Amino acid sequence: MTEAVVARVAELWRYPVKSMAGERLTAAELSWQGLSGDRRWAFVRPGRGHTGFPWLTIRQQSRLHHYRPTLVDPDRPDRSVVWVTDPEGQVYAVDDPALAARFGVGVFAIKHDRGTFDASPVSLVTRQGLEALSRRVGADVDARRFRPNLVLDAPGTEEFPEDGWVGRLLGIGTAVGRVDKSDERCAVVNLDPDSLARNSDVLRTIVRQRAMCFGIYGSTVTPGVLRLDDPVMLVG
């Protein structure tokens, strides 16, 4: 078996509540259910609890970007109480009905120990891919539009190096993950996470030039710990 360093970890992100703001980390445990504490909470839309995708997301309410969850006990991320700070600075327990009521009648919060992922428990983009996409869009494209768990720095001249990792194993820190597929994008990526302004050129460019895909989805092969600046090894 051969190993080659293809990148380093530039950013680590966890999203305690689906579609709310992320927490930037210096280290994280990668479990079978993705990063510990990631997307364990979500809000359910009224009348959608029986469907395959019941979650309230940025697609329905863009202001979710400005609600900031915090783990009270970051050493036990899957078991920690979660507090949410709203855009005005008011703090709520994540399961407080008063918080859910801000998103509409009948909305409620649930905890899902396996995570409320759209497709796979781990997602990543590269700085090189972000820079290439920004050039094509003609505007800076912030990584937070794509809500990745990892942003990797893969120095070189290749624009989208992550495309070549699909179907391969990546060793990061003490963990090993499998790159399962490219990440098919939706209109959420048009939304600026700070201003909430929409730029339809982002998704339009991804659709026309990238067959709707940007970044990659993965799953866990060997649980372990990831840290900033860890080398990323292409295994096998």
Side-chain angles (χ1 to χ4, degrees):
M1 179 178 293
T2 60
E3 297 183 351
V5 176
V6 293
R8 290 191 176 274
V9 177
E11 299 175 26
L12 271 173
W13 291 90
R14 172 173 60 207
Y15 307 87
V17 181
K18 187 177 184 67
S19 280
M20 289 188 175
E23 291 184 312
R24 195 164 180 168
L25 307 173
T26 57
E29 181 182 352
L30 181 66
S31 72
W32 298 112
Q33 289 78 44
L35 267 63
S36 294
D38 187 47
R39 295 172 171 92
R40 301 307 194 244
W41 284 92
F43 285 85
V44 175
R45 291 176 283 166
R48 304 284 296 188
H50 64 286
T51 69
F53 196 88
W55 320 120
L56 178 73
T57 73
I58 296 165
R59 277 172 286 192
Q60 293 82 41
Q61 297 203 23
S62 60
R63 62 197 176 111
L64 286 167
H65 257 311
H66 290 174
Y67 284 76
R68 301 191 175 280
T70 302
L71 300 180
V72 175
D73 184 0
D75 292 331
R76 300 195 308 160
D78 285 331
R79 297 184 180 182
S80 175
V81 171
V82 176
W83 296 101
V84 176
T85 304
D86 73 10
E88 292 74 44
Q90 177 70 36
V91 179
Y92 301 84
V94 66
D95 55 353
D96 187 338
L99 176 61
R102 300 201 63 173
F103 307 126
V105 176
V107 174
F108 61 94
I110 66 167
K111 187 172 188 286
H112 195 309
D113 289 337
R114 293 186 178 181
T116 56
F117 307 108
D118 288 358
S120 295
V122 182
S123 62
L124 67 85
V125 298
T126 63
R127 283 182 170 173
Q128 287 66 33
L130 289 165
E131 290 167 0
L133 182 61
S134 295
R135 288 192 293 271
R136 297 180 184 202
V137 172
D140 183 56
V141 178
D142 193 306
R144 292 175 298 157
R145 289 178 184 262
F146 307 98
R147 303 181 66 78
N149 295 117
L150 295 98
V151 179
L152 304 184
D153 187 13
T157 58
E158 192 172 356
E159 285 195 322
F160 301 95
E162 63 272 24
D163 292 347
W165 304 339
V166 175
R168 305 290 299 274
L169 299 181
L170 295 179
I172 309 175
T174 60
V176 177
R178 180 176 55 245
V179 181
D180 295 317
K181 60 182 179 179
S182 297
D183 191 340
E184 188 172 299
R185 295 299 178 173
C186 67
V188 166
V189 303
N190 287 334
L191 196 69
D192 182 277
D194 293 323
S195 69
L196 303 185
R198 295 182 183 274
N199 180 354
S200 59
D201 287 340
V202 178
L203 183 59
R204 184 180 296 119
T205 300
I206 294 171
V207 170
R208 293 178 177 176
Q209 300 187 28
R210 300 279 306 156
M212 287 192 72
C213 294
F214 178 72
I216 50 182
Y217 276 132
S219 54
T220 304
V221 174
T222 304
V225 176
L226 317 178
R227 292 183 171 84
L228 284 181
D229 205 40
D230 271 346
V232 179
M233 314 287 292
L234 193 62
V235 180

